[in-house]
Amino acid sequence: MSEQYKVTESDQSKRIDKLLTEVIEEASRSQIQGWLKDDVVLVDGKAVKSNYKVQEGESITWHIPEPEPMDILPEDIPIEIVYEDEDVIVVNKPSGMVIHPAAGHYSGTLVNALLFHVKDLSGINGVERPGIVHRIDKDTSGLLMVAKNDLAHQSLAEQLSKKTVERKYEAIVHGEIHHEYGTIDAPIGRDPKDRQRMAVVDGGRDAVTHFRVLRHFTDFTLVECKLETGRTHQIRVHMRYIDHPLAGDPKYGPRKTLALNGQALHAKSLGFEHPRTGEWKKFEVEPPAEFKETLKYLETKEV
C-alpha cells in the first residue's frame, strides 16, 4: 500500500531525505536515501535525488519495501497473559523485553514468546511483527494488546487511529510539578541534532499527552499520563519538553537520577472496544517491583 504526504509551507525547501525522516518515524535517513536511489519515493509521480528540495503543495508518495523475511522461532519465554479470547490477547510486558525482532534482537522478544504460547496471530504487519498493533518501549512495562486475526488487527488499528483506545501510564519524573493537571500539545519528530532521538520540532507530527499529578516527593513527582496520540517515545519526549524528564531515562533524562534499569514508565491501564462483540474492555495492572521499590525509597526522602 502506498503512503502519501503533502508538502506544507513549513516544509518549504527542506531536503526530501531530511523531511521524510521526520514524517516516517520508523525509517532512518540512510534507509530513505536508499529508497530514493531505488525510485521507491516519488514527488508528483517523478523520481528525485536525496538532495532534492521540496516545494509547498507537492505530493510525496512512497511504498516501503517489504522487509526480508526472518526465521523467527517460537521461544518458551514466560509472559503474563492478562486476557485472551479468539480475537485478542492482552499481555503485561516486563521491562527490558523488546516487542519484535529487529537488528540486534532476533530472539527473546515478545513476538518469540507469543509464537510459542499462541497458535494464530494476525499477519497484517508481516513475518517480523505478527499480531503487533501498537508498541511500548523496551524498558517500559505494562499492557499491550495483540491481534490474533486480521479482523481484530484492522479494528484495533482503526481505534488507535481514531484515538478511542484508552491508554494510561504511570511515570516518576524529575522535579516537583506545582499544578495538578496539564496537557502537552507539541509536535514530535526526529531530533535534528541526534537522529537516534525524537524531539518536539516544528513540522513534527501532532502529539498530545494529558497528565495529572498523583503524588509529590522531594525533587520528584509521580504522574499519570494519558495518551491522545501514540508517537515514538511520546511521554518521554513531552515530559522532557516541560523540564520534567522521566527518572532513569537513559536517552532523555539527566545523568544524575535514580538507580533504575531504564525509564520509570509503566503502561498501567488499557481500554478498547472488542473487535467482534463491540463490548468495552478495560484492564489495569500494578507497576513492577522495581517501580514500587523506587516509590518506597522516595517516601523515605519526603520532607
Side-chain angles (χ1 to χ4, degrees):
M1 180 186 297
S2 293
E3 297 189 56
Q4 187 176 39
Y5 179 79
K6 200 82 168 178
V7 178
T8 66
E9 183 180 356
S10 63
D11 300 326
Q12 179 74 22
S13 297
K14 283 185 180 180
R15 282 178 55 124
I16 189 169
D17 57 351
K18 182 178 184 298
L19 172 62
L20 287 180
T21 59
E22 299 168 2
V23 174
I24 311 172
E25 294 178 355
E26 64 269 25
S28 67
R29 192 165 182 172
S30 61
Q31 282 179 306
I32 288 168
Q33 288 171 343
W35 297 342
L36 286 158
K37 188 176 180 180
D38 294 337
D39 296 344
V40 171
V41 177
L42 302 175
V43 177
D44 288 341
K46 297 178 181 179
V48 298
K49 294 183 178 180
S50 296
N51 63 355
Y52 177 80
K53 293 185 178 180
V54 300
Q55 303 299 313
E56 182 183 358
E58 288 179 329
S59 178
I60 304 172
T61 56
W62 66 93
H63 179 78
I64 299 176
E66 289 296 321
E68 291 295 321
M70 291 189 292
D71 190 14
I72 302 175
L73 299 175
E75 295 181 44
D76 188 5
I77 303 168
I79 53 173
E80 182 185 345
I81 297 177
V82 177
Y83 174 82
E84 180 178 6
D85 61 24
E86 63 180 326
D87 298 299
V88 179
I89 308 168
V90 177
V91 299
N92 182 15
K93 186 190 84 67
S95 174
M97 177 179 273
V98 174
I99 297 292
H100 54 75
H105 295 283
Y106 294 110
S107 65
T109 72
L110 179 64
V111 165
N112 294 108
L114 285 168
L115 288 173
F116 181 87
H117 293 282
V118 183
K119 290 182 179 179
D120 298 310
L121 291 170
S122 164
I124 287 178
N125 268 346
V127 177
E128 290 78 7
R129 305 180 185 185
I132 301 302
V133 184
H134 65 126
R135 294 176 289 174
I136 55 179
D137 297 333
K138 172 190 172 186
D139 292 326
T140 299
S141 60
L143 294 169
L144 192 79
M145 56 187 181
V146 179
K148 294 180 74 173
N149 53 60
D150 291 356
L151 169 75
H153 196 125
Q154 290 169 339
S155 172
L156 296 175
E158 185 176 351
Q159 291 179 55
L160 284 165
S161 178
K162 291 182 177 179
K163 304 176 184 178
T164 58
V165 175
E166 182 183 287
R167 290 171 288 172
K168 293 181 180 179
Y169 292 69
E170 279 192 13
I172 302 171
V173 302
H174 281 270
E176 298 180 48
I177 300 177
H178 299 295
H179 39 280
E180 299 304 305
Y181 298 90
T183 293
I184 307 164
D185 185 349
I188 291 176
R190 293 275 178 188
D191 188 335
K193 297 178 182 177
D194 182 351
R195 308 307 299 176
Q196 300 301 312
R197 304 198 327 171
M198 309 301 288
V200 171
V201 294
D202 290 338
R205 299 178 72 185
D206 290 344
V208 180
T209 305
H210 306 281
F211 71 87
R212 69 184 180 99
V213 171
L214 299 178
R215 190 165 181 183
H216 295 279
F217 299 98
T218 302
D219 299 325
F220 292 91
T221 305
L222 176 66
V223 296
E224 177 188 88
C225 295
K226 183 177 180 181
L227 289 182
E228 187 171 312
T229 54
R231 307 304 175 206
T232 301
H233 301 169
Q234 179 171 316
I235 293 173
R236 299 164 68 186
V237 171
H238 269 172
M239 296 312 293
R240 179 178 186 267
Y241 179 66
I242 63 169
D243 296 323
H244 292 287
L246 270 62
D249 193 329
K251 192 179 287 285
Y252 301 101
R255 291 185 178 182
K256 292 184 178 180
T257 185
L258 300 172
L260 291 161
N261 294 311
Q263 63 274 359
L265 183 61
H266 174 67
K268 72 168 186 177
S269 177
L270 176 65
F272 57 89
E273 185 180 281
H274 192 277
R276 190 178 299 273
T277 68
E279 179 186 359
W280 180 254
K281 311 291 286 187
K282 185 170 181 179
F283 307 93
E284 191 163 320
V285 290
E286 290 288 311
E290 184 183 48
F291 196 107
K292 291 180 177 179
E293 288 164 7
T294 301
L295 291 177
K296 287 182 181 178
Y297 166 73
L298 292 174
E299 287 174 359
T300 67
K301 296 180 63 181
E302 284 188 289
V303 175

